[in-house]
Amino acid sequence: MTDSASTSSDHRIAKVDLDEETIIWRNADIEQERKIAIFDLIEENTFKPLRAAERGASGPYHLRLAVRDGRLLMTIADTKDELLEELLLGLARFRRPIREYFAICDSYYQAIRKATPAEIETIDMARRGVHNRAAELLLERLEGKIETDFATARRLFTLICVLHIKG
């Protein structure tokens, strides 16, 4: 393995925490989504905070997500929990995708319990479409700040949604 391959593999998230004070309410379905998103994210991701990398940080990283004053706060630390950088992203452009995602997920969870397989598949395709568009938006918002891939952006969007659940 070359040094560059070793370094690039270190640009990943090793631990994710969600600000529990931000999460107002969640049910079993949402809790399951959160667990799966975090598990999948830790298992496979690409995450390179560019300012921290320019200062020599190579990861792996600990990431904490919170919502503060209507903005997403991404706190990035090293494995010793020493702060590397904080990134604030405006969430105004995510409000509609988050609402759409909640609505389609609600339909999906209801369909799982009583719809036909064809109906479930149709709703799931719509759900994936909303999720994919939101991930693309997140990639745009992270451009020049964090290098990541589409799969990582999808999982991060799921966690952003969890932070927006209201009872």
Side-chain angles (χ1 to χ4, degrees):
M1 183 184 293
T2 65
D3 287 340
S4 62
S6 172
T7 301
S8 67
S9 69
D10 288 342
H11 289 293
R12 64 182 177 79
I13 300 167
K15 179 181 173 187
V16 178
D17 292 313
L18 300 182
D19 179 27
E20 291 297 322
E21 291 179 22
T22 302
I23 302 170
I24 296 172
W25 177 88
R26 59 182 165 215
N27 63 24
D29 292 328
I30 298 301
E31 184 62 15
Q32 183 66 14
E33 288 276 329
R34 181 193 67 80
K35 286 179 181 178
I36 290 169
I38 289 175
F39 178 83
D40 288 348
L41 185 63
I42 299 303
E43 284 295 304
E44 184 179 345
N45 70 79
T46 301
F47 189 86
K48 182 179 180 182
L50 297 177
R51 288 184 298 206
E54 287 172 4
R55 290 190 308 270
S58 63
Y61 305 102
H62 289 180
L63 176 64
R64 180 171 174 81
L65 300 174
V67 175
R68 296 287 184 266
D69 300 322
R71 297 184 294 177
L72 177 67
L73 174 61
M74 301 176 80
T75 304
I76 304 163
D78 63 18
T79 55
K80 297 175 187 169
D81 285 325
E82 292 183 27
L83 180 65
L84 298 174
E85 78 177 84
E86 289 185 330
L87 178 64
L88 274 171
L89 290 180
L91 288 168
R93 293 181 59 199
F94 289 96
R95 292 197 202 304
R96 183 175 179 177
I98 289 169
R99 274 194 315 270
E100 289 174 352
Y101 188 67
F102 282 149
I104 200 79
C105 283
D106 187 47
S107 296
Y108 177 74
Y109 295 131
Q110 289 177 24
I112 286 174
R113 293 174 179 94
K114 60 184 176 183
T116 67
E119 291 169 329
I120 293 169
E121 184 177 345
T122 300
I123 294 169
D124 191 44
M125 287 174 58
R127 181 175 77 136
R128 283 192 306 257
V130 169
H131 204 169
N132 288 346
R133 286 190 301 279
E136 289 167 2
L137 176 60
L138 183 56
L139 285 170
E140 287 174 20
R141 298 288 293 130
L142 293 175
E143 191 171 333
K145 299 170 185 82
I146 295 175
E147 285 181 9
T148 191
D149 61 356
F150 185 74
T152 302
R154 283 185 100 247
R155 293 171 184 131
L156 288 172
F157 177 72
T158 300
L159 296 177
I160 291 168
C161 286
V162 170
L163 291 173
H164 281 82
I165 295 168
K166 306 288 186 221

